[in-house]
Amino acid sequence: MSTTTGPAASDAAKTAPGPGGKPGPRGPSTTRKDGGRGKPRLGVQNLAGWLFSTPFLVLFTVFMAFPILATLLMSFTDFGLRNVTNPLDAEFIGFENYTKLFSDEKFLKSLFNTGYFVVVGVPLTIGLGLLVAVLLNNGIDRARTFFRVGFYAPVVTSIVAVAVVWRFVLDPADGLVAGLASEVGLTAPDFLGDEKLAMPSLILMAVWRNMGTVMVLFIAGLQAIPTEVREAAKLDGAGPWHEFRRITLPLLRPTMLYATVITTIGYLNVFEEPFVMTQGGPSDSTLTVSLNMYREGFNFFHMGYASAMAYVLFVVIMGITVLQLRLLKDNTK
Amino acid sequence: MSTATRPPAAPPPPAAPGPGASKAAGPSRGTGSRLKRPLLYLLVSLGLLIMAAPFLWMALSAFKTDQDLTASPPVWLPTEWTLGNFERLLDRLDLPRYFLNSLLVATLVTVSNLVFCSMLGYALAKLHFAGRNKVFGLVLGALMVPGNLMLLPLFVLMSKLQLIDTYAALVLPFAAGAFGVFLMRQFMQSIPDELLEAARMDGAGEWYIFWRIVMPLVKPALATLTIFTFLGSWNNFVWPLIATNDPDKYTLPVALATFATDPNQSAGSNGMLMAGSFLIVLPVLLVFAVLQRHFTQGIATAGMK
């Protein structure tokens, strides 16, 4: 209890010049609905507030804010392997990395692949997650927890383990799918070795893995809908489909928005699936922007160039997120 | 100051928003029409089976002999149960070491998140300090920045600090996450101000209030944060992959991925890979099955506006 404050009286005296160098109480606006009792302690709270924030802010500054800025600075330099030991020797080359990016076929391909992943993967993930949530919430009263745990389990498992298992399941020689196909007289394709099928296979795996998160979000959203609203709709003669379209879906919009945004951000960053499953192949058909960045940065040590990629991806993510927030918000009207 | 000075009429711990609501709304909502019920169960069970199939395949394959692994048509149950895959994997990989590395890193990350995120969460929820909104804005912003953006300078920074291949490099970048702050703030907001004010009137300092009054009240949130952070760290892959070159510092996923993507090592070793995956996944699934309520709660809370 070392930080125990003095008696209230001495506090009141201290409030005038706030400890943070700022004026303590900013007039009546800072007094709260607690009847003004907090007012005399505002100076102390100001100091305490900053002391409580300090550990996070220090870690945030060193390991997040600084790297974010440093990536930006690095993207305008020819930062390479030698600069890992001498960062300040990196040469400023303006927008050269960025202009190079947009004539780099490999990068454009990775951009396309990432877009493909998002455009196909997000609707599938959201759709299936919503479907399962609605089914579990509206018709399953027994073993509901069991089902929920089952559908959510892939989310909590290591992506590396998941990828290793899926590689095995999809193996054209002795994988599960190939075996099942041969049972019925079919030949399973080489999912991960075929340029056209590799990406859909990764998407399938991502949908399988991430659907649970979306499902849990939708279940929480569904349970926030007051039962009365749905019962009223039912009394008015709304069938299940009508009730879903007109009542449930509109009320789920905030959840839908959140789920779509986080899924999109996650898929735009997709890295682990191609890294462990295909290493970007065959012939770069599963090379995503993140994987491309990783390779340029940590395999070839073109760190300036890789930083430019990271920022292009960042800008794309910000842009798409803002766009989604707009589009989905406006729809509510 | 002893706990006796605490106001006797302390309100009960704030109910966690997620599960409380879910329980109230849960069983009472049997809306689907009776006839379709069996069909519904069949559908959902089928879906669940598809979801579980890769896990089952993995778990069973871990105990198969090479003949069973390559059998066509595939056999689900091993004709002969064997621990050979685990033994061979243990010969090739120093699994106990990687397990301890993962455990140590995840524990350190979790403890530091619990302390630091709670501290800031408390400040943001309950302390009126100048700049509070700016700090909260920072936290929200940090939630949105993709982790990959920071990898390159973090690597350079860790190299400069000569921390590559140390536990510090694995722990520090994750020592306080924005998600944790957000989660703790959400929960702490539901603690009545009157309770804290009463303690302040009794002369309690902010640290005392935080540590002795607020923290015990948010135990469910701490449980949620513990599970999320621990499993997040346990499953973390990209940064440990970058921050370690020395196999002695590998975490389980890095060790397994390095093994799996090296064709020289892992050729014809599906059995070993399944055994390795099984060992990474099993503890997580067990912990999750037992504590799943907290997950649902955490996701629901973070998703709330």
Side-chain angles (χ1 to χ4, degrees), chain A residues 1 3-5 41 44-45 48 52, chain B residues 1 6-7 122 126-127 188 191-218:
Chain A
M1 246 208 317
T3 50
T4 308
T5 58
R41 309 290 289 244
V44 174
Q45 288 203 12
F52 274 86
Chain B
M1 188 203 294
R6 218 192 286 179
Y122 172 63
K126 291 295 167 198
L127 296 175
M188 286 174 178
I191 296 173
D193 281 332
E194 291 74 22
L195 176 63
L196 308 186
E197 280 312 320
R200 284 182 192 125
M201 296 298 270
D202 287 342
E206 292 303 331
W207 182 256
Y208 183 90
I209 293 174
F210 164 71
W211 200 246
R212 290 294 175 81
I213 300 177
V214 171
M215 287 297 258
L217 286 177
V218 293

Side-chain angles (χ1 to χ4, degrees), chain A residues 45 71 85 152 156 167 183 290, chain B residues 73 128 148-149 160 235 299:
Chain A
Q45 288 203 12
T71 305
T85 37
Y152 192 71
V156 296
R167 236 171 43 157
E183 285 268 284
S290 284
Chain B
H128 309 293
N148 290 346
L149 194 63
K160 283 304 271 184
N235 290 336
I299 296 177

Side-chain angles (χ1 to χ4, degrees), chain B:
Chain B
M1 188 203 294
S2 75
T3 41
T5 53
R6 218 192 286 179
S22 77
K23 256 179 214 136
S28 64
R29 193 178 290 164
T31 44
S33 66
R34 306 270 165 247
L35 269 176
K36 289 187 206 136
R37 187 74 38 107
L39 191 73
L40 193 76
Y41 270 90
L42 192 73
L43 195 69
V44 177
S45 303
L46 199 70
L48 188 65
L49 198 66
I50 295 173
M51 295 299 282
F55 285 130
L56 290 174
W57 185 242
M58 168 195 74
L60 294 169
S61 297
F63 298 96
K64 281 179 192 165
T65 57
D66 282 347
Q67 285 95 319
D68 280 353
L69 282 165
T70 53
S72 173
V75 286
W76 276 95
L77 285 176
T79 46
E80 184 193 337
W81 293 77
T82 173
L83 289 175
N85 294 317
F86 293 94
E87 282 162 9
R88 275 188 294 157
L89 187 69
L90 273 166
D91 277 346
R92 294 267 193 98
L93 294 180
D94 191 359
L95 282 177
R97 166 116 215 175
Y98 305 138
F99 186 88
L100 285 178
N101 284 345
S102 279
L103 195 68
L104 179 70
V105 170
T107 306
L108 289 173
V109 166
T110 305
V111 170
S112 79
N113 265 280
L114 285 178
V115 175
F116 296 148
C117 295
S118 299
M119 283 171 69
L120 182 51
Y122 172 63
L124 291 177
K126 291 295 167 198
L127 296 175
H128 309 293
F129 64 101
R132 179 169 80 162
N133 291 338
K134 283 197 186 100
V135 175
F136 188 53
L138 218 60
V139 172
L140 289 182
L143 271 174
M144 285 185 272
V145 178
N148 290 346
L149 194 63
M150 288 159 280
L151 293 179
L152 295 152
L154 263 186
F155 174 76
V156 177
L157 180 70
M158 290 301 174
S159 303
K160 283 304 271 184
L161 297 174
Q162 306 212 316
L163 289 177
I164 293 295
D165 284 327
T166 66
Y167 293 116
L170 295 175
V171 172
L172 283 173
F174 300 96
F179 171 78
V181 175
F182 188 69
L183 189 77
M184 294 319 293
R185 174 187 175 269
Q186 297 291 90
F187 272 87
M188 286 174 178
Q189 273 190 325
S190 60
I191 296 173
D193 281 332
E194 291 74 22
L195 176 63
L196 308 186
E197 280 312 320
R200 284 182 192 125
M201 296 298 270
D202 287 342
E206 292 303 331
W207 182 256
Y208 183 90
I209 293 174
F210 164 71
W211 200 246
R212 290 294 175 81
I213 300 177
V214 171
M215 287 297 258
L217 286 177
V218 293
K219 269 185 192 150
L222 292 171
T224 303
L225 184 57
T226 302
I227 302 165
F228 263 99
T229 318
F230 193 90
L231 289 192
S233 176
W234 184 269
N235 290 336
N236 192 11
F237 173 59
V238 185
W239 176 248
L241 178 74
I242 291 167
T244 52
N245 301 311
D246 176 5
D248 276 354
K249 291 296 187 304
Y250 281 177
T251 56
L252 271 177
V254 177
L256 185 67
T258 310
F259 182 68
T261 52
D262 180 354
N264 297 328
Q265 282 201 57
S266 61
S269 62
N270 274 339
M272 274 188 271
L273 288 173
M274 290 311 106
S277 303
F278 182 76
L279 290 177
I280 295 189
V281 166
L282 188 71
V284 169
L285 282 186
L286 287 179
V287 170
F288 166 64
V290 174
L291 301 170
Q292 59 88 23
R293 198 169 51 87
H294 294 292
F295 270 90
T296 330
Q297 202 169 304
I299 296 177
T301 309
M304 281 186 328
K305 296 286 135 68

Side-chain angles (χ1 to χ4, degrees), chain A residues 62-105:
Chain A
V62 178
F63 298 108
M64 198 155 176
F66 165 74
I68 290 170
L69 264 179
T71 305
L72 185 62
L73 293 178
M74 279 163 74
S75 75
F76 294 109
T77 68
D78 65 347
F79 209 99
L81 183 54
R82 66 195 169 85
N83 302 110
V84 174
T85 37
N86 300 306
L88 297 180
D89 283 359
E91 211 170 304
F92 179 78
I93 54 168
F95 282 92
E96 203 175 293
N97 285 327
Y98 288 93
T99 49
K100 203 171 130 200
L101 269 180
F102 289 98
S103 54
D104 177 349
E105 270 179 38

Side-chain angles (χ1 to χ4, degrees), chain A residues 197-211:
Chain A
L197 289 177
M199 197 53 129
S201 305
L202 293 193
I203 293 173
L204 194 74
M205 196 188 103
V207 172
W208 171 83
R209 188 172 139 78
N210 295 301
M211 202 196 76

Side-chain angles (χ1 to χ4, degrees), chain A residues 149-165:
Chain A
V149 167
F151 281 101
Y152 192 71
V155 179
V156 296
T157 48
S158 159
I159 178 69
V160 174
V162 163
V164 164
V165 173

